[in-house]
Amino acid sequence: MAETEGKPAKKIKHEDKEEEEEIQTFEELGLDARSVRALLKKGITKPTLIQQVAIPLILEGKDVVARAKTGSGKTFAYLLPLLQKLFATDSGSKSKLAPSAFILVPSRELCQQVYSEVLSLIELCRVQLKKTALSGPPDVLVSTPACIQSCLSGGLIQTKSISDSLDILVLDEADLLLSYGYEDDLKALTRYVPRRCQCLLISDVDKLKKLILHNPVILTLPEVGD
Ligand code: ADP
Ligand code: MG
């Protein structure tokens, strides 16, 4: 299931088969040859529904709230456009500080998973990103909000470097981030997030459902079925 608040023309409509079939490849969603090659090496050739909807909107620079069930491919839905934006800036103007993206997740386990995907995609794309040490703003930081908060209070990350260089903020499993008690850490961090920063909220309907609902009645609109 996918819900977006982008332009209606960008929605995948199940009743409109022609429009659904028009978007079939990652190239058509706007991904560049490097990303497409990296996906091919992973044996991935066809975007999932959430990827079809989210990738063009994220490339356009929109803030996006993406809700879809577990296993629907949400990680690549945000990671591919995010990395493409960083690759593009690599060869571009050096007039501003290096761009950076923060990906916040609710657990160390998910942190490891997303970090491995980032490394693997970068390697497959054969792109040299700037650095991994925290001597300045990193290109991509995958963390729990609490860990970023302790880096901030310990001076490992400067708040000024966040306000100067943060271009993309992703909250993966956003609902869980809040339900795990990270609200205060998130509020503290968002004070430094600049207005121009693109923000993506990714949420997992299944996990939240299991966490708080008991034998729920599930209502699904016919046109946004899975
Ligand atoms: P979610 O975050 O929605 O639960 P993931 O992003 O973890 O799902 O993806 C679940 C699995 O699907 C992963 O193993 C991933 O490599 C795979 N996957 C992602 N996109 C595609 C695709 N377009 N085609 C085939 N497999 C995919
Ligand atoms: Mg996920």
Side-chain angles (χ1 to χ4, degrees):
M1 176 170 65
E3 293 177 9
T4 73
E5 291 182 0
K7 291 176 207 154
K10 291 280 179 189
K11 284 192 176 178
I12 306 291
K13 289 180 184 156
H14 282 245
E15 71 271 19
D16 184 349
K17 289 290 176 204
E18 269 184 30
E19 188 180 357
E20 191 178 4
E21 280 162 18
E22 256 177 39
I23 302 175
Q24 283 190 333
T25 65
F26 284 103
E27 286 97 329
E28 284 167 321
L29 301 178
L31 289 185
D32 63 21
R34 278 189 290 202
S35 312
V36 175
R37 251 195 337 265
L39 285 169
L40 260 180
K41 286 180 197 155
K42 287 176 171 287
I44 293 178
T45 52
K46 193 169 183 292
T48 63
L49 184 58
I50 189 70
Q51 291 163 358
Q52 291 179 36
V53 179
I55 289 172
L57 291 170
I58 298 174
L59 285 174
E60 252 181 62
K62 298 261 191 252
D63 282 2
V64 170
V65 177
R67 296 174 55 226
K69 59 198 274 188
T70 301
S72 57
K74 293 188 294 299
T75 316
F76 287 156
Y78 70 78
L79 216 45
L80 292 164
L82 179 152
L83 289 176
Q84 180 158 315
K85 282 170 165 236
L86 296 193
F87 300 160
T89 321
D90 254 1
S91 53
S93 150
K94 299 281 176 201
S95 63
K96 72 190 270 294
L97 278 174
S100 61
F102 283 179
I103 301 171
L104 302 184
V105 296
S107 67
R108 291 170 69 101
E109 187 196 15
L110 187 58
C111 203
Q112 271 306 325
Q113 279 173 27
V114 174
Y115 181 62
S116 306
E117 288 295 5
V118 171
L119 286 189
S120 151
L121 284 173
I122 289 176
E123 197 180 310
L124 289 175
C125 291
R126 295 212 181 84
V127 173
Q128 192 73 48
L129 283 181
K130 197 166 58 70
K131 57 184 156 303
T132 51
L134 292 180
S135 54
D139 292 303
V140 184
L141 182 66
V142 188
S143 172
T144 61
C147 188
I148 290 204
Q149 198 47 46
S150 56
C151 288
L152 282 171
S153 36
L156 272 173
I157 302 178
Q158 305 295 322
T159 53
K160 185 171 184 317
S161 77
I162 297 182
S163 343
D164 284 348
S165 68
L166 190 65
D167 281 338
I168 307 177
L169 173 66
V170 182
L171 307 189
D172 193 355
E173 304 210 357
D175 299 288
L176 289 188
L177 276 171
L178 293 180
S179 60
Y180 283 4
Y182 281 126
E183 193 171 347
D184 287 346
D185 291 322
L186 281 173
K187 274 190 189 149
L189 176 69
T190 51
R191 289 215 311 272
Y192 308 111
V193 175
R195 183 71 187 84
R196 64 180 163 73
C197 179
Q198 182 180 15
C199 297
L200 312 174
L201 297 193
I202 313 299
S203 86
D204 196 319
V205 284
D206 279 359
K207 284 201 181 149
L208 192 66
K209 200 169 67 187
K210 280 183 200 142
L211 194 75
I212 56 170
L213 300 180
H214 309 285
N215 193 22
V217 176
I218 300 176
L219 307 175
T220 308
L221 298 180
E223 69 268 26
V224 292
D226 295 329

